[in-house]
Amino acid sequence: MRPILLKGHERPLTKLKYNREGDLLFTTARDKIVNVYYSHNGERLGTYMGHQGALWDVDVDPTSTLLVTGAADNTVKLWEVSTGRCLQTWEFNTAVKVSTFNEDADRLLVVTEARMGFQGTIHVYPFVIDLEAKQATEPILTITSPENKFTKAGFSYLSKYIIAGHADGSVSQYDGKTGELLKNVPVHDKEITDLQFAPDMTYFITTSKDKTARILDTKNLKIMKTYTADAPLNTGAITPKKDFIILGGGQDAKDVTTTTSRQGKFEARFYHKIFEDEIGRLKGHFGPLNHIVVHPAGTGFASGGEDGYVRVHHFDKSYYDFLYDVERMRPEN
Amino acid sequence: MLDTIVVVDGAPIVSEKKVDALSKVLKKLFSEAGRIRDDTFYMPLNEEGKSKGYVFIGFETPEQADRAIRGLNNKRLDAKHTLLVNRFTDIERYGEDDEEEVYEEPVEEEYHEQEYLRDWLKEPNCVDQFVLHRNETVGVYWNRRGEHPETIVSREKWTETYVAWSPLGSYLCSVHRQGVQLWGSNAYERKQRFMHPGVQLLDFSPCENYIVTWSPEPIQMIPEDSPMRAQFPFTPADEGKQIVVWNVKTGLPVRTFSAAVAAENEAGAGPAGPKKISWPAFKWTSDDKYLARCVQGQQIFVYETPGMGLVDKKSIKIDGVVDFEWSPATMSSGTSKKTEEHVLSFWTPEMNNQSARVTLMTIPSKEVVRTRNLFNVADCRLHWQSQGDFLCVKVVRFTKTKKATFTNLEFFRLREKNIPIEVVELKDTVMNFAWEPAGDRLVIISTSDAPAAAPTFVSFYGLERSKGVNGQFRQVASVERKSSNSIFWSPKGRFVVVASVGGTSNNTGELDFWDFDFEGERKEVAGAEDVPANLVLMSTGQHYQLTDIAWDPTGRFVATSSSTWGRALETGYRVWDLKGTLVREEHLERFKQFLWRPRPPTLLSKEQMREVRKNLREYSKVFEQEDLAEESQASKELIAQRIRLLEEWRAWRKAVVAELEAERGGVVPLAQRGSEKEDEVIERIVEDIVSEKEEIIE
């Protein structure tokens, strides 16, 4: 099916987020605004304006009431989803790279960058889904990593662990309550660019500039699968329903002017999650893909590119029908 | 002090009267090397006042003495007298040592079993090997079917610059700062090393007996007390030379030469300054017997192995000679029909009111067997067919106005009496030309003289043959191809790939796979009915920015590669089969070389080959069955592996899900609530009245 092209941003996209039901799609870009669309037809509902810098992350609570955004203006902002009203602002010393909820949205996790003498830090705040509530401004937990800055982080199932990706390609597992470092394993050769959990959060996928993506077990950080691509990867998503993963990336943004779109490898790549084979590619963007998210029901996906466009895809019948012979021979009981 | 004195031997013995005159001559001669100290020119005389035939000469410095030895040793003074110049200290030393020296029995070296260099040929399915050079790693692989090539050996930093195969595939050469090393046998052990500092280029003789290396640094002697001296293969006579011919078996230099550049400068051709050296420096005959190089405009030097002396002790003087080529085969010479001789072809341009000329000369008898005069020649290229049956001279000629050029192809038929010549005239400029190996067909790429935008044509020619008699060369087909610039024949003939090669960004890397003998309905080509050919374009492919193409030595696969040396951005290689279907593709970063391992020529006789061809159907049946078995085996393995992966994953999932459920204790997190609920589809029918119109019907 033809993708829906969303042209709501003027700068490269940084993050996309479906709400729990998948009917809304939130997008952030470097142009300081957040957009929200109906995912099924691409109609824009509105824009959240107020940040002074490029946005890096967006998350919405499971009831689609409150929206939290993190930006390069050193702030995290809380918004009312339905009106676009800014409810609260947290201020930090450095740019905010990650702002995300845990599965019950009773915790807010913020990652700030290592800059100007400040260490890269994970801040955890208590949170309540209540429009009227005054949210806590003091963190109940902070984790720093002096040598090795954080690039991505998130809560695991039951908020038991905090999983963080680092600039050196390693992944750390912290205790979700005490912040104690439980494990640090080397996974990639270069910076980790994305870390997305499977729907039940028992495993997650990491992507890296080293042109590979890997699936790790949340509990013991064991590398389960490895996917090799031919370009640096910016993002990877796990599809529910089907055993696929979708990877995106391409030539580095700074090299793009010297290459044609042919060489840039700006395609969304589909791999079989279990067999690690590449099974398909989808062209469209004319810049690197910065972020890919899959619809929570597994009916489609959206990709945001350095080219400033969001492409929303709905899967065809052939997508659902695709099976390896061995999968057909041994259907899951 | 003594090391400034040289002893000159072999001077003429003269009577008293002439001693002064001789002294004068020798003084003059030796003062070229340096200043002779006044008191140290001493010519001993006997009782009768006759000279004794030797002279002592002292120079101011030992360097001058060295120069005298290098420059004047073996100098021919006249027909009877050759001067021998030696260092005074040397004579003393060697003279003394004679008495003291005791014969020492040389230690007998233990016998080492040598591994068979051609062991790889025993592979039952004739699978070929190739070398991959990427980043700093060089590896040798089997070209087996399947996703990944099978590694034989892979080494980091095997070479400092590049690697190369010897022409029959026995050795792999690695090039280092210190020299060249040869590797061979199954384990790829070091077989030989040639110490040549700064070596950059190498070239083998066709039978792998000799290797020629070139270094931009002239050979310099290293100090005698250096620990390296024992291994240093060169003598003072080699100093200043840049090209070395080595014996592959012994690893020792056979002869050194100064670079070709110097020879050209002597001729005074062109301005001074760094010149590109032409490589290979020497052209070899197919049996390693002769090697030759040409000094443009003057002469061709033909050396004979193993002595490396000039044939007949003199070069072949040819005024204006531009280029030459050996015939790949021998022919019976004109006078004595029994001896087979090599054929040298060369051409000279128009000069001194003489027309340009292509000449065929036999070696070693130096007999001219055929000449061809040509007019209005801009350039000539000599293309030998691989069996020496034909020589095609591609002549670029000026039109009458001298403003444009066109091309003639002059075919010399070496196997026919008196070597008849056939001319095919073309209006266009031929950019590329290639003979079918062991065949009589050819492909040319031509373009009209006008600049870039002009269309490029690929044309196919074949030799007419009716009732066993050779007719004329006829065009079979001609197609327009915008970007094609290179022709690659299968080493076994019949199939040919026409491609556009080059690492530039506007090179799209198109590949055309042609079959000259398509086994299907034959299309009649008007004017070329008698040419045994049925040309079909089997398929086309593309490899963006490809820089190199190579057929495997058995002619079953074609490898296209884009190397980082060729400035390609997307580096890697692809392997195609002869029909043009892509077999394998690998993107490798900092990829440099893909080289098939060559094979020595077949040992089958012509009759045996004919026999095989006749029974081809039966052979192919066997092979097809083998292929099928292999394929089904491979797919069985793949399926088994997939089943294993699938089971493992499912088992793990089951365990993890059960564990998680226990940990959650029945509490569903907010993020997953409502996900069990089926989507509710609400249909609403909205009626919109677009327009209302009232019409009265009468």
Side-chain angles (χ1 to χ4, degrees):
Chain A
M1 201 172 119
R2 274 180 74 85
I4 302 165
L5 199 59
L6 309 182
K7 302 175 190 170
H9 291 285
E10 291 169 346
R11 298 287 317 275
L13 272 288
T14 53
K15 177 89 182 188
L16 312 173
K17 177 74 190 173
Y18 279 104
N19 65 345
R20 182 179 69 186
E21 288 74 21
D23 59 335
L24 299 180
L25 177 65
F26 298 89
T27 63
T28 63
R30 287 172 182 259
D31 61 0
K32 306 173 190 175
I33 59 165
V34 188
N35 281 331
V36 57
Y37 304 88
Y38 281 125
S39 66
H40 72 281
N41 63 1
E43 182 187 337
R44 182 160 71 172
L45 273 114
T47 302
Y48 303 85
M49 282 192 271
H51 274 295
Q52 300 300 310
L55 278 116
W56 289 115
D57 200 3
V58 58
D59 201 3
V60 60
D61 81 78
T63 62
S64 304
T65 318
L66 294 166
L67 188 75
V68 60
T69 53
D73 59 2
N74 303 355
T75 64
V76 168
K77 283 182 187 287
L78 185 71
W79 314 80
E80 185 181 359
V81 170
S82 54
T83 63
R85 185 162 58 103
C86 179
L87 299 169
Q88 195 171 333
T89 303
W90 286 263
E91 296 207 359
F92 296 90
N93 292 318
T94 56
V96 177
K97 295 300 274 188
V98 177
S99 61
T100 178
F101 294 118
N102 66 344
E103 59 185 4
D104 289 316
D106 57 4
R107 293 278 183 278
L108 169 64
L109 185 151
V110 174
V111 175
T112 53
E113 263 209 294
R115 277 273 156 81
M116 302 182 297
F118 296 103
Q119 292 177 355
T121 312
I122 296 176
H123 313 258
V124 180
Y125 298 89
F127 194 83
V128 282
I129 306 172
D130 182 354
L131 275 173
E132 305 307 319
K134 173 91 181 73
Q135 304 291 350
T137 51
E138 281 309 309
I140 51 166
L141 185 64
T142 56
I143 305 168
T144 56
S145 173
E147 269 101 54
N148 196 354
K149 70 170 193 174
F150 299 111
T151 56
K152 294 285 163 188
F155 273 107
S156 79
Y157 58 90
L158 289 163
S159 308
K160 197 172 170 184
Y161 309 112
I162 292 169
I163 304 289
H166 294 280
D168 72 344
S170 69
V171 172
S172 293
Q173 185 193 52
Y174 296 94
D175 186 296
K177 291 191 180 61
T178 65
E180 186 195 342
L181 177 66
L182 303 174
K183 257 195 191 80
N184 176 271
V185 291
V187 177
H188 292 281
D189 300 333
K190 289 185 183 161
E191 176 191 340
I192 289 184
T193 50
D194 198 11
L195 191 159
Q196 290 195 30
F197 283 97
D200 71 354
M201 300 177 118
T202 55
Y203 61 100
F204 58 91
I205 184 164
T206 57
T207 57
S208 166
K209 294 272 176 220
D210 72 359
K211 305 186 179 180
T212 61
R214 294 199 149 101
I215 281 184
L216 277 76
D217 186 339
T218 306
K219 200 172 145 198
N220 54 21
L221 299 193
K222 202 179 110 194
I223 296 170
M224 311 278 300
K225 298 285 172 193
T226 300
Y227 311 91
T228 314
D230 54 1
L233 293 176
N234 292 333
T235 179
I238 299 166
T239 60
K241 295 235 165 77
K242 298 293 286 183
D243 284 324
F244 300 148
I245 60 157
I246 310 174
L247 303 179
Q251 288 280 351
D252 242 334
K254 62 175 190 292
D255 302 332
V256 162
T257 47
T258 63
T259 55
T260 64
S261 68
R262 229 206 122 269
Q263 288 166 17
K265 311 189 163 77
F266 310 134
E267 294 135 338
R269 300 123 198 277
F270 287 72
Y271 284 73
H272 196 279
K273 186 168 73 189
I274 299 169
F275 306 132
E276 304 176 347
D277 294 338
E278 184 176 329
I279 49 182
R281 284 188 190 199
L282 209 56
K283 276 190 223 170
H285 285 285
F286 48 89
L289 275 72
N290 285 341
H291 203 249
I292 289 176
V293 281
V294 182
H295 192 285
T299 58
F301 79 101
S303 55
E306 189 75 13
D307 56 9
Y309 292 123
V310 176
R311 302 174 78 89
V312 182
H313 302 258
H314 295 272
F315 293 131
D316 294 337
K317 187 170 177 299
S318 60
Y319 170 87
Y320 298 103
D321 290 346
F322 180 89
L323 278 177
Y324 271 62
D325 286 341
V326 291
E327 290 177 294
R328 228 168 292 219
M329 273 154 47
R330 314 206 166 191
E332 199 149 15
N333 28 33
Chain B
M1 213 41 202
L2 284 174
D3 56 4
T4 61
I5 298 175
V6 297
V7 181
V8 181
D9 227 341
I13 296 170
V14 291
S15 60
E16 207 173 347
K17 276 182 268 171
K18 286 187 179 169
V19 164
D20 276 349
L22 179 63
S23 303
K24 216 172 167 185
V25 168
L26 289 177
K27 267 184 189 166
K28 196 181 164 203
L29 188 64
F30 278 83
S31 52
E32 280 171 18
R35 276 199 54 166
I36 300 168
R37 279 182 287 132
D38 295 335
D39 53 330
T40 57
F41 186 89
Y42 173 60
M43 192 185 292
L45 306 174
N46 63 7
E47 300 85 47
E48 295 163 30
K50 271 187 168 183
S51 75
K52 286 183 171 178
Y54 56 91
V55 188
F56 297 91
I57 302 172
F59 287 95
E60 281 186 332
T61 60
E63 286 76 41
Q64 290 175 359
D66 277 350
R67 210 180 306 152
I69 292 165
R70 226 181 305 144
L72 295 167
N73 192 19
N74 290 324
K75 168 87 184 172
R76 277 166 74 101
L77 209 56
D78 55 45
K80 285 181 189 158
H81 297 95
T82 303
L83 296 182
L84 298 171
V85 187
N86 284 295
R87 210 174 272 123
F88 181 71
T89 47
D90 281 355
I91 293 195
E92 199 145 82
R93 201 171 69 205
Y94 295 127
E96 272 170 21
D97 283 355
D98 261 356
E99 290 155 36
E100 289 164 25
E101 221 169 276
V102 184
Y103 175 71
E104 246 179 77
E105 185 93 17
V107 186
E108 199 174 320
E109 264 188 63
E110 238 179 276
Y111 173 72
H112 292 289
E113 183 90 26
Q114 288 286 324
E115 264 193 275
Y116 185 43
L117 284 174
R118 291 183 174 177
D119 207 51
W120 96 99
L121 295 173
K122 292 182 192 158
E123 214 288 333
N125 289 325
C126 265
V127 173
D128 277 304
Q129 291 187 0
F130 61 87
V131 92
L132 271 189
H133 182 193
R134 59 177 296 213
N135 223 340
E136 300 302 320
T137 317
V138 176
V140 186
Y141 304 88
W142 287 112
N143 177 38
R144 293 206 200 281
R145 246 173 288 207
E147 296 261 308
H148 293 285
E150 184 186 324
T151 314
I152 301 162
V153 60
S154 178
R155 289 175 198 163
E156 288 280 319
K157 303 215 163 70
W158 198 346
T159 177
E160 281 173 45
T161 47
Y162 63 96
V163 289
W165 290 104
S166 63
L168 304 181
S170 309
Y171 304 102
L172 180 69
C173 320
S174 61
V175 182
H176 307 263
R177 174 73 191 79
Q178 293 301 325
V180 175
Q181 301 196 79
L182 299 191
W183 310 78
S185 78
N186 284 348
Y188 284 93
E189 291 151 356
R190 187 166 68 211
K191 293 293 174 195
Q192 201 56 266
R193 48 201 276 184
F194 308 103
M195 190 169 158
H196 191 181
V199 62
Q200 288 194 353
L201 298 171
L202 61 89
D203 178 41
F204 270 93
S205 69
C207 302
E208 298 181 343
N209 292 320
Y210 302 94
I211 181 169
V212 186
T213 58
W214 173 77
S215 163
E217 302 165 20
I219 292 169
Q220 278 183 331
M221 289 310 289
I222 49 177
E224 283 192 36
D225 47 356
S226 158
M228 301 285 280
R229 184 63 187 243
Q231 291 170 22
F232 197 67
F234 301 110
T235 62
D238 298 324
E239 239 174 310
K241 305 290 177 66
Q242 292 183 317
I243 296 173
V244 186
V245 182
W246 306 80
N247 184 323
V248 170
K249 299 250 163 40
T250 63
L252 295 173
V254 184
R255 187 166 173 180
T256 51
F257 296 91
S258 21
V261 191
E264 264 175 59
N265 284 350
E266 276 165 33
K275 269 197 181 176
K276 273 192 182 168
I277 82 147
S278 64
W279 193 258
F282 291 96
K283 289 173 183 164
W284 294 83
T285 54
S286 54
D287 58 357
D288 283 11
K289 187 99 172 68
Y290 299 100
L291 64 159
R293 72 167 170 176
C294 153
V295 175
Q296 271 201 11
Q298 293 184 331
Q299 52 200 329
I300 297 175
F301 293 94
V302 181
Y303 302 91
E304 189 170 8
T305 60
M308 285 294 166
L310 283 169
V311 173
D312 298 341
K313 299 209 171 60
K314 54 178 186 262
S315 63
I316 307 167
K317 293 234 173 358
I318 305 150
D319 266 346
V321 60
V322 181
D323 199 10
F324 73 98
E325 289 289 343
W326 288 103
S327 161
T330 52
M331 66 178 281
S332 49
S333 66
T335 44
S336 53
K337 290 277 178 200
K338 276 167 197 161
T339 49
E340 291 280 305
E341 289 208 80
H342 287 283
V343 182
L344 188 68
S345 60
F346 57 87
W347 76 278
T348 51
E350 280 155 293
M351 54 191 286
N352 309 333
N353 286 331
Q354 269 194 333
S355 60
R357 179 179 289 176
V358 175
T359 311
L360 300 187
M361 182 188 268
T362 55
I363 298 291
S365 64
K366 295 188 184 171
E367 203 175 309
V368 174
V369 289
R370 186 76 163 95
T371 58
R372 170 79 168 167
N373 293 338
L374 301 162
F375 307 94
N376 300 327
V377 175
D379 191 20
C380 269
R381 284 287 143 83
L382 311 164
H383 298 276
W384 282 94
Q385 186 252 12
S386 71
Q387 292 174 322
D389 295 347
F390 304 99
L391 167 67
C392 175
V393 181
K394 194 183 89 190
V395 190
V396 181
R397 300 180 58 182
F398 291 114
T399 51
K400 276 182 189 141
T401 58
K402 294 233 171 187
K403 275 182 185 154
T405 55
F406 64 102
T407 309
N408 272 9
L409 299 177
E410 313 247 345
F411 293 95
F412 289 63
R413 301 181 176 201
L414 275 286
R415 299 288 176 230
E416 287 167 43
K417 204 178 169 209
N418 295 333
I419 313 182
I421 295 168
E422 183 194 333
V423 183
V424 174
E425 204 162 297
L426 302 167
K427 287 202 181 64
D428 296 340
T429 311
V430 174
M431 295 153 59
N432 219 325
F433 175 101
W435 279 104
E436 177 180 21
D440 52 18
R441 296 176 290 200
L442 51 111
V443 180
I444 58 175
I445 299 177
S446 59
T447 178
S448 63
D449 207 30
T456 304
F457 288 97
V458 181
S459 316
F460 302 83
Y461 285 81
L463 187 64
E464 277 180 329
R465 204 175 293 143
S466 53
K467 294 166 197 147
V469 179
N470 287 348
Q472 289 188 309
F473 283 96
R474 298 276 187 202
Q475 191 178 70
V476 179
S478 183
V479 290
E480 191 184 332
R481 280 281 181 277
K482 217 174 235 146
S483 55
S484 298
N485 57 17
S486 307
I487 308 157
F488 298 90
W489 276 97
S490 157
K492 306 284 178 206
R494 176 171 168 178
F495 302 102
V496 61
V497 174
V498 181
S500 55
V501 175
T504 52
S505 60
N506 51 14
N507 175 20
T508 48
E510 266 127 35
L511 302 160
D512 291 343
F513 293 80
W514 295 88
D515 180 358
F516 245 106
D517 293 316
F518 183 67
E519 288 165 9
E521 202 184 327
R522 189 179 138 89
K523 282 180 297 186
E524 289 294 326
V525 183
E529 291 85 355
D530 292 332
V531 177
N534 189 18
L535 189 73
V536 163
L537 176 63
M538 289 184 293
S539 66
T540 56
Q542 205 179 27
H543 186 171
Y544 192 65
Q545 288 197 354
L546 69 92
T547 57
D548 299 280
I549 299 185
W551 281 87
D552 79 336
T554 51
R556 289 174 294 181
F557 298 98
V558 184
T560 59
S561 52
S562 45
S563 158
T564 149
W565 290 337
R567 297 174 181 277
L569 291 164
E570 227 173 280
T571 55
Y573 73 93
R574 290 175 196 191
V575 177
W576 315 72
D577 70 5
L578 59 83
K579 298 194 297 289
T581 26
L582 188 61
V583 180
R584 181 164 55 239
E585 178 174 6
E586 261 194 289
H587 291 282
L588 300 171
E589 230 158 283
R590 296 184 43 76
F591 165 84
K592 289 171 185 165
Q593 284 177 289
F594 181 104
L595 299 170
W596 293 104
R597 184 175 196 173
R599 284 169 177 272
T602 177
L603 298 173
L604 297 179
S605 67
K606 272 196 174 151
E607 288 72 41
Q608 284 169 311
M609 275 155 62
R610 208 172 301 137
E611 194 67 20
V612 170
R613 221 167 281 144
K614 222 170 80 188
N615 300 323
L616 202 61
R617 263 166 219 280
E618 270 152 55
Y619 286 109
S620 57
K621 246 185 239 161
V622 179
F623 290 138
E624 266 160 32
Q625 268 169 7
E626 276 176 21
D627 283 357
L628 265 177
E630 196 182 324
E631 236 166 73
S632 73
Q633 180 62 27
S635 71
K636 257 185 215 155
E637 273 165 30
L638 187 68
I639 286 170
Q641 196 207 348
R642 283 192 178 147
I643 288 175
R644 191 174 54 78
L645 287 174
L646 196 64
E647 305 278 292
E648 273 174 15
W649 178 265
R650 283 178 182 166
W652 177 74
R653 284 297 300 154
K654 221 170 154 185
V656 166
V657 168
E659 197 179 326
L660 184 64
E661 226 163 81
E663 259 182 85
R664 284 201 193 277
V667 182
V668 181
L670 206 51
Q672 282 167 28
R673 252 173 254 172
S675 54
E676 293 96 28
K677 203 165 64 186
E678 278 297 310
D679 280 351
E680 201 180 332
V681 180
I682 302 167
E683 261 181 71
R684 213 161 25 145
I685 296 162
V686 183
E687 245 178 77
D688 247 347
I689 296 164
V690 181
S691 67
E692 262 181 314
K693 208 155 100 191
E694 230 171 88
E695 260 179 68
I696 299 160
I697 301 158
E698 286 173 28

